[in-house]
Amino acid sequence: AKQDAEKSAISSDAMKNSSLVKSSADALKKSANALNNEALWEKKEDYDWDAITKAVKSFVDDYNSLVKLAGNSDSKDVLRNAVWMTGMTEANDNLLSKAGITVGKGNQMELNEDVLKKVDIRTLKTLFTGHNSLADKIATKANSISNAAARTSGTYKSNGTYSNALAELASSKVDEEV
């Protein structure tokens, strides 16, 4: 019984981490896609630097959150995708630093807003807009991490049906709240 309780506690922790990784990956995908939105980069009289700064800051925060959570994952798929994502970020280190974004300890991004607001807009557009931009690649990888985290929590039952424990956990939380 004690072993079953320990397995259940470990399984519950793994499901919680998978759930956090999935929601963090979904948030990163959303913020990366927001950077890739053409409306953000439209020049009226001037560029909306407040909106651009807010979008970049959100992207950096979501990226850092996902990197931290994914690093604690037990899923090889989550880890593999996170390593690819941090490698892609490292490969763009020079361009990111021109935009005021440095990658420090633990693959965490740091944003210098003063540098960001002075950078040539073309540098930002290169990083964050269009197919195959860093934002596009990060959004794609965040989606892969989200899917891997969702699969981590799924298991096959003894009758051969597939159970997604995250969905069941979320459903039971909704039932409890109602």
Side-chain angles (χ1 to χ4, degrees):
K2 183 178 178 184
Q3 286 176 337
D4 287 344
E6 287 173 358
K7 283 181 185 177
S8 177
I10 290 170
S11 177
S12 177
D13 288 346
M15 282 193 320
K16 287 176 188 172
N17 188 50
S18 291
S19 178
L20 290 172
V21 168
K22 181 177 179 2
S23 63
S24 183
D26 291 341
L28 177 57
K29 180 182 175 190
K30 183 178 177 182
S31 61
N33 285 335
L35 280 172
N36 206 353
N37 185 341
E38 290 179 25
L40 181 65
W41 304 102
E42 286 179 2
K43 185 174 182 180
K44 288 132 185 135
E45 288 181 32
D46 195 11
Y47 292 101
D48 186 350
W49 283 100
D50 289 338
I52 291 169
T53 301
K54 182 179 177 185
V56 171
K57 186 170 178 9
S58 178
F59 172 77
V60 167
D61 291 345
D62 291 341
Y63 178 92
N64 289 341
S65 176
L66 179 57
V67 166
K68 185 176 181 181
L69 288 168
N72 294 326
S73 177
D74 293 332
S75 166
K76 288 180 184 176
D77 284 342
V78 167
L79 291 169
R80 181 176 37 252
N81 283 295
V83 166
W84 184 96
M85 186 177 74
T86 57
M88 180 56 55
T89 303
E90 188 177 316
N92 285 275
D93 189 47
N94 190 34
L95 198 55
L96 283 165
S97 65
K98 288 179 183 179
I101 301 170
T102 56
V103 181
K105 186 178 179 182
N107 293 311
Q108 296 289 296
M109 288 183 176
E110 296 174 24
L111 174 62
N112 182 329
E113 291 184 28
D114 294 331
V115 173
L116 177 71
K117 290 179 181 179
K118 294 176 185 170
V119 70
D120 184 340
I121 197 74
R122 291 176 295 190
T123 300
L124 296 176
K125 286 182 175 183
T126 299
L127 271 171
F128 299 125
T129 64
H131 179 68
N132 230 14
S133 67
L134 179 63
D136 183 57
K137 290 177 182 179
I138 295 291
T140 300
K141 205 42 70 170
N143 188 56
S144 296
I145 292 170
S146 175
N147 290 338
R151 283 191 308 272
T152 299
S153 63
T155 56
Y156 284 96
K157 296 180 180 179
S158 59
N159 66 359
T161 60
Y162 188 73
S163 164
N164 186 330
L166 279 180
E168 290 175 9
L169 183 65
S171 176
S172 68
K173 295 275 186 212
V174 170
D175 291 343
E176 289 172 10
E177 292 172 3
V178 175

